[in-house]
Short mmCIF file of all heavy atoms in Angstrom, two decimals:
data_model
loop_
_atom_site.label_atom_id
_atom_site.label_comp_id
_atom_site.label_asym_id
_atom_site.label_seq_id
_atom_site.Cartn_x
_atom_site.Cartn_y
_atom_site.Cartn_z
N ALA B 36 -5.55 4.30 -0.87
CA ALA B 36 -5.36 2.94 -1.36
C ALA B 36 -3.88 2.57 -1.46
O ALA B 36 -3.00 3.47 -1.57
CB ALA B 36 -6.01 2.79 -2.72
N ALA B 37 -3.58 1.26 -1.42
CA ALA B 37 -2.20 0.83 -1.61
C ALA B 37 -1.75 1.13 -3.05
O ALA B 37 -0.61 1.44 -3.28
CB ALA B 37 -2.09 -0.67 -1.29
N GLY B 38 -2.67 1.02 -3.95
CA GLY B 38 -2.40 1.38 -5.33
C GLY B 38 -3.67 1.73 -6.03
O GLY B 38 -4.73 1.23 -5.66
N SER B 39 -3.62 2.63 -7.01
CA SER B 39 -4.86 3.02 -7.66
C SER B 39 -4.55 3.48 -9.08
O SER B 39 -3.43 3.87 -9.40
CB SER B 39 -5.53 4.13 -6.90
OG SER B 39 -4.66 5.19 -6.74
N ALA B 40 -5.58 3.49 -9.92
CA ALA B 40 -5.40 3.95 -11.31
C ALA B 40 -6.70 4.41 -11.85
O ALA B 40 -7.79 4.00 -11.42
CB ALA B 40 -4.85 2.82 -12.18
N TYR B 41 -6.59 5.35 -12.83
CA TYR B 41 -7.76 5.89 -13.50
C TYR B 41 -7.49 5.74 -14.98
O TYR B 41 -6.43 6.11 -15.48
CB TYR B 41 -7.89 7.39 -13.12
CG TYR B 41 -8.93 8.14 -13.91
CD1 TYR B 41 -10.25 7.96 -13.70
CD2 TYR B 41 -8.52 9.07 -14.92
CE1 TYR B 41 -11.19 8.68 -14.42
CE2 TYR B 41 -9.43 9.78 -15.61
CZ TYR B 41 -10.77 9.57 -15.38
OH TYR B 41 -11.69 10.29 -16.11
N VAL B 42 -8.45 5.15 -15.67
CA VAL B 42 -8.27 4.89 -17.08
C VAL B 42 -9.46 5.49 -17.87
O VAL B 42 -10.62 5.34 -17.47
CB VAL B 42 -8.13 3.38 -17.41
CG1 VAL B 42 -8.18 3.11 -18.88
CG2 VAL B 42 -6.87 2.83 -16.84
N GLU B 43 -9.13 6.16 -18.94
CA GLU B 43 -10.11 6.77 -19.83
C GLU B 43 -9.95 6.23 -21.22
O GLU B 43 -8.84 6.24 -21.77
CB GLU B 43 -9.87 8.28 -19.89
CG GLU B 43 -10.92 9.11 -19.21
CD GLU B 43 -10.59 10.59 -19.38
OE1 GLU B 43 -10.19 10.99 -20.52
OE2 GLU B 43 -10.70 11.31 -18.41
N LEU B 44 -11.04 5.72 -21.79
CA LEU B 44 -11.01 5.43 -23.22
C LEU B 44 -11.99 6.41 -23.81
O LEU B 44 -13.20 6.12 -23.86
CB LEU B 44 -11.47 3.99 -23.47
CG LEU B 44 -10.42 2.90 -23.41
CD1 LEU B 44 -11.09 1.53 -23.36
CD2 LEU B 44 -9.46 2.98 -24.58
N ASP B 45 -11.52 7.56 -24.19
CA ASP B 45 -12.40 8.68 -24.61
C ASP B 45 -13.44 8.92 -23.52
O ASP B 45 -13.09 9.44 -22.47
CB ASP B 45 -13.04 8.36 -25.97
CG ASP B 45 -13.57 9.62 -26.59
OD1 ASP B 45 -13.15 10.70 -26.14
OD2 ASP B 45 -14.40 9.53 -27.51
N LYS B 46 -14.72 8.51 -23.72
CA LYS B 46 -15.73 8.84 -22.73
C LYS B 46 -15.95 7.71 -21.71
O LYS B 46 -16.77 7.91 -20.82
CB LYS B 46 -17.03 9.18 -23.44
CG LYS B 46 -17.04 10.59 -23.98
CD LYS B 46 -18.39 10.90 -24.57
CE LYS B 46 -18.39 12.24 -25.29
NZ LYS B 46 -19.49 12.29 -26.25
N THR B 47 -15.27 6.60 -21.89
CA THR B 47 -15.40 5.54 -20.91
C THR B 47 -14.41 5.80 -19.80
O THR B 47 -13.20 5.92 -20.07
CB THR B 47 -15.14 4.17 -21.54
OG1 THR B 47 -16.13 3.96 -22.54
CG2 THR B 47 -15.21 3.06 -20.55
N LYS B 48 -14.90 5.93 -18.54
CA LYS B 48 -14.02 6.31 -17.47
C LYS B 48 -14.13 5.32 -16.30
O LYS B 48 -15.23 5.06 -15.84
CB LYS B 48 -14.39 7.71 -16.98
CG LYS B 48 -14.04 8.75 -18.01
CD LYS B 48 -14.76 10.03 -17.77
CE LYS B 48 -14.50 10.99 -18.96
NZ LYS B 48 -15.51 11.97 -19.13
N VAL B 49 -13.01 4.83 -15.85
CA VAL B 49 -12.96 3.84 -14.78
C VAL B 49 -11.94 4.24 -13.73
O VAL B 49 -10.81 4.66 -14.06
CB VAL B 49 -12.64 2.43 -15.31
CG1 VAL B 49 -12.62 1.43 -14.18
CG2 VAL B 49 -13.62 1.99 -16.37
N MET B 50 -12.32 4.13 -12.47
CA MET B 50 -11.41 4.37 -11.34
C MET B 50 -11.25 3.07 -10.60
O MET B 50 -12.24 2.37 -10.35
CB MET B 50 -12.08 5.44 -10.47
CG MET B 50 -11.23 5.86 -9.26
SD MET B 50 -10.13 7.15 -9.74
CE MET B 50 -11.12 8.58 -9.37
N CYS B 51 -10.00 2.75 -10.22
CA CYS B 51 -9.78 1.50 -9.54
C CYS B 51 -8.84 1.66 -8.40
O CYS B 51 -7.84 2.37 -8.49
CB CYS B 51 -9.21 0.49 -10.56
SG CYS B 51 -8.90 -1.11 -9.83
N GLY B 52 -9.17 1.06 -7.27
CA GLY B 52 -8.32 1.10 -6.08
C GLY B 52 -7.99 -0.30 -5.60
O GLY B 52 -8.84 -1.20 -5.66
N VAL B 53 -6.75 -0.52 -5.16
CA VAL B 53 -6.32 -1.84 -4.63
C VAL B 53 -5.95 -1.65 -3.17
O VAL B 53 -5.22 -0.70 -2.83
CB VAL B 53 -5.13 -2.37 -5.44
CG1 VAL B 53 -4.54 -3.58 -4.73
CG2 VAL B 53 -5.54 -2.72 -6.84
N TYR B 54 -6.48 -2.52 -2.33
CA TYR B 54 -6.22 -2.42 -0.89
C TYR B 54 -5.64 -3.76 -0.42
O TYR B 54 -6.02 -4.81 -0.87
CB TYR B 54 -7.52 -2.14 -0.13
CG TYR B 54 -8.13 -0.82 -0.49
CD1 TYR B 54 -8.90 -0.72 -1.65
CD2 TYR B 54 -7.90 0.31 0.26
CE1 TYR B 54 -9.44 0.51 -2.04
CE2 TYR B 54 -8.45 1.53 -0.11
CZ TYR B 54 -9.22 1.61 -1.27
OH TYR B 54 -9.74 2.82 -1.63
N GLY B 55 -4.70 -3.70 0.50
CA GLY B 55 -4.17 -4.91 1.06
C GLY B 55 -2.69 -5.12 0.61
O GLY B 55 -2.11 -4.18 0.12
N PRO B 56 -2.13 -6.28 0.80
CA PRO B 56 -2.78 -7.48 1.31
C PRO B 56 -3.18 -7.33 2.80
O PRO B 56 -2.44 -6.68 3.53
CB PRO B 56 -1.73 -8.57 1.17
CG PRO B 56 -0.63 -8.01 0.37
CD PRO B 56 -0.72 -6.53 0.46
N ARG B 57 -4.29 -7.92 3.15
CA ARG B 57 -4.71 -7.89 4.56
C ARG B 57 -4.99 -9.31 5.00
O ARG B 57 -5.24 -10.21 4.16
CB ARG B 57 -5.94 -7.01 4.72
CG ARG B 57 -7.15 -7.56 4.04
CD ARG B 57 -8.32 -6.61 4.03
NE ARG B 57 -9.33 -7.08 3.13
CZ ARG B 57 -10.32 -7.85 3.51
NH1 ARG B 57 -10.44 -8.26 4.74
NH2 ARG B 57 -11.25 -8.22 2.63
N GLN B 58 -4.92 -9.49 6.30
CA GLN B 58 -5.08 -10.83 6.86
C GLN B 58 -6.48 -11.33 6.66
O GLN B 58 -7.44 -10.59 6.80
CB GLN B 58 -4.75 -10.81 8.33
CG GLN B 58 -4.60 -12.19 8.93
CD GLN B 58 -3.85 -12.13 10.26
OE1 GLN B 58 -3.85 -11.13 10.93
NE2 GLN B 58 -3.17 -13.17 10.56
#
Side-chain angles (χ1 to χ4, degrees):
Chain B
S39 56
Y41 171 74
V42 170
E43 249 182 43
L44 274 167
D45 198 18
K46 280 183 186 159
T47 298
K48 291 162 186 156
V49 179
M50 182 85 90
C51 181
V53 170
Y54 299 81
R57 66 189 168 91
Q58 191 160 28

